[in-house]
Amino acid sequence: MPKNPEMMTDSASAIGEFSPLIEAALDKACDFGPNCPVRLAEAIRYSLLAPGKRLRPALVLMAAEACGGDPEMALGPAVAVEMIHAYSLIHDDLPAMDDDDLRRGRATTHIQFDEATAILAGDALQAEAFRVLAESIPDPAKAIEAVLTLARAAGASALVGGQADDLAAETGGPRTLTHLEHIHRRKTGALFAASLELGAIVSGATEPMRFALSNYAKDLGLAFQVVDDLLDMTSSDTSLGKRAGKDADRGKLTYPGLLGLDETRAKAQQLVESSRGHASVFGEAGWRLTWLAGYVLERTH
Ligand code: GRG
C-alpha cells in the first residue's frame, strides 16, 4: 500500500485496510447474551452493522497509528464511537426528529422494526458503547479518561445539545454562520474529535500530538458537515443512501443556505487544506489522516 496519499487511486483504501478489523469487531460486540430479547438484538445488529462509511472508528485507528500505537489496540474505542454514532442515527431518524425512512440505503430502524424497538435499540447502543469502551482498556487511568472523553462528546453540551439546537433552528433562532458553526461543532464535530482523542489515549500520545489531533478534528469535523450540506443539496437519494434535499424542505440552517454554493465549496476546500496541515505534524505515520481529509472533501455519500 503506497503511503503517499497523492499516489492512492482507490478511494476506499486508507480506510479499506482497516475495514475487516472494524467490521469483525462490530460484529463481535453484538453478542448481548441470552437475556437480550431477540427482536432488540436484531434491531441493534441491523443498525450497527448496516453499511456505513465507518469514518469515526477509522479515525480512532488512524489516530492511534499516527501517535505510534498499534491500531488493533484501539478497536474497542473504535466500536464504542460507532455505537454512539449508530444510536444517534436511529434516534435522529425517528418521527419526532428528522422523520426519515431511508438510511445507509435501507429502511430506517423504526420503519424496519417499530418505533419502540428503534428507541430501545438506540438506548441499548448508548449504554453498550461505554461497556465496550471500559472493557477494552486494561489501564484504569486510561479507561477513565476514555469514558470521560466519550461521555462529554455524546452528552448534553455536545452531540445531544447540538442536535437539540439543530432541531430548534428549524423554527427559530439566529440564522447566522456563528450559530450554525456552534451547532455543528457539537452535533458532528464532538464525536469526530472524541474519536481522535480516543486513539491518542490508548496509544499514550504526547501533548503536542494531542494538540495537533485536536486542531485536525476541528477543521475536519466542520469540513465534513459543510460537505454534508452540499451533498444534501446536490445529490440523489440513491447515491446518498438517505433522502436528499431534506434540509431545504425542513427549513434547516445550512452552509449553502447562508453562503451560496460557490462560497460553501471554497470553505470546504480551505478547511480540508488546513486539516491536512495539522496532520503533517505526524509525518509518514499520519498519512491516513492526510488521505481522509481529501476523502471527506471528495466523498459522494
Ligand atoms: C439524536 C442525539 C441525536 C443526535 C443526532 C447523527 C445526528 C445527530 C444527526 C444525523 C443528521 C445529520 C445530517 C448529521 C450531520 C452529519 C452526519 C452525522 C451524517 C451521518 O454521518 P456519516 O455520513 O454516516 O458518517 P454513515 O452512515 O456513513 O456512518
Side-chain angles (χ1 to χ4, degrees):
M1 166 112 20
K3 296 199 172 176
N4 175 354
E6 306 307 327
M7 289 165 63
M8 301 187 66
T9 48
D10 173 5
S11 71
S13 51
I15 300 181
E17 218 173 47
F18 286 148
S19 292
L21 289 175
I22 294 171
E23 296 308 319
L26 288 172
D27 190 75
K28 192 162 157 247
C30 282
D31 181 2
F32 305 110
N35 289 334
C36 175
V38 172
R39 188 173 168 80
L40 177 62
E42 275 173 12
I44 295 172
R45 288 181 67 83
Y46 177 82
S47 321
L48 185 66
L49 306 182
K53 294 183 287 298
R54 311 293 187 230
L55 286 181
R56 296 154 192 81
L59 279 172
V60 179
L61 305 193
M62 288 176 184
E65 181 182 65
C67 297
D70 174 1
E72 292 200 35
M73 300 290 290
L75 276 169
V79 168
V81 288
E82 187 67 9
M83 283 178 148
I84 294 288
H85 174 56
Y87 123 70
S88 78
L89 296 178
I90 298 172
H91 282 195
D92 181 68
D93 290 333
L94 288 167
M97 296 208 201
D98 259 13
D99 192 12
D100 263 307
D101 60 357
L102 186 68
R103 169 73 64 185
R104 293 175 164 175
R106 301 174 173 187
T108 46
T109 311
H110 67 278
I111 298 285
Q112 182 72 14
F113 293 85
D114 56 79
E115 256 187 73
T117 305
I119 292 169
L120 292 170
D123 292 341
L125 275 166
Q126 184 166 193
E128 295 294 337
F130 290 98
R131 191 250 320 155
V132 170
L133 185 59
E135 278 178 0
S136 72
I137 306 178
D139 177 335
K142 285 185 180 175
I144 288 172
E145 194 186 358
V147 166
L148 259 179
T149 299
L150 191 60
R152 286 186 180 128
S157 298
L159 174 68
V160 176
Q163 172 76 352
D165 279 350
D166 190 41
L167 291 172
E170 289 176 15
T171 49
R175 299 191 77 79
T176 63
L177 213 49
T178 311
H179 190 54
L180 181 63
E181 230 158 82
H182 185 49
I183 289 173
H184 292 315
R185 287 213 185 279
R186 291 169 293 152
K187 190 180 97 166
T188 312
L191 209 50
F192 272 83
S195 304
L196 291 153
E197 277 173 55
L198 289 171
I201 292 167
V202 292
S203 60
T206 62
E207 274 313 312
M209 286 172 169
R210 285 175 174 232
F211 185 66
L213 286 178
S214 151
N215 287 328
Y216 172 84
K218 277 188 192 126
D219 290 337
L220 188 81
L222 212 49
F224 178 85
Q225 186 61 54
V226 172
V227 172
D228 216 69
D229 284 0
L230 279 169
L231 288 174
D232 181 78
M233 226 175 146
T234 56
S235 292
S236 65
D237 294 0
T238 316
S239 78
L240 283 183
K242 61 181 180 182
R243 296 280 171 227
K246 283 207 69 174
D247 291 348
D249 291 351
R250 292 184 69 99
K252 288 240 184 228
L253 192 54
T254 65
Y255 287 96
L258 289 177
L259 299 176
L261 276 177
D262 289 347
E263 214 180 309
T264 302
R265 286 196 183 104
K267 186 174 176 72
Q269 178 81 44
Q270 173 249 313
L271 285 164
V272 161
E273 269 158 28
S274 173
S275 66
R276 280 186 170 140
H278 298 303
S280 69
V281 167
F282 297 96
E284 195 171 277
W287 74 273
R288 287 183 212 269
L289 295 173
T290 306
W291 175 90
L292 194 86
Y295 169 75
V296 159
L297 187 65
E298 280 143 32
R299 72 194 178 97
T300 53
H301 66 285

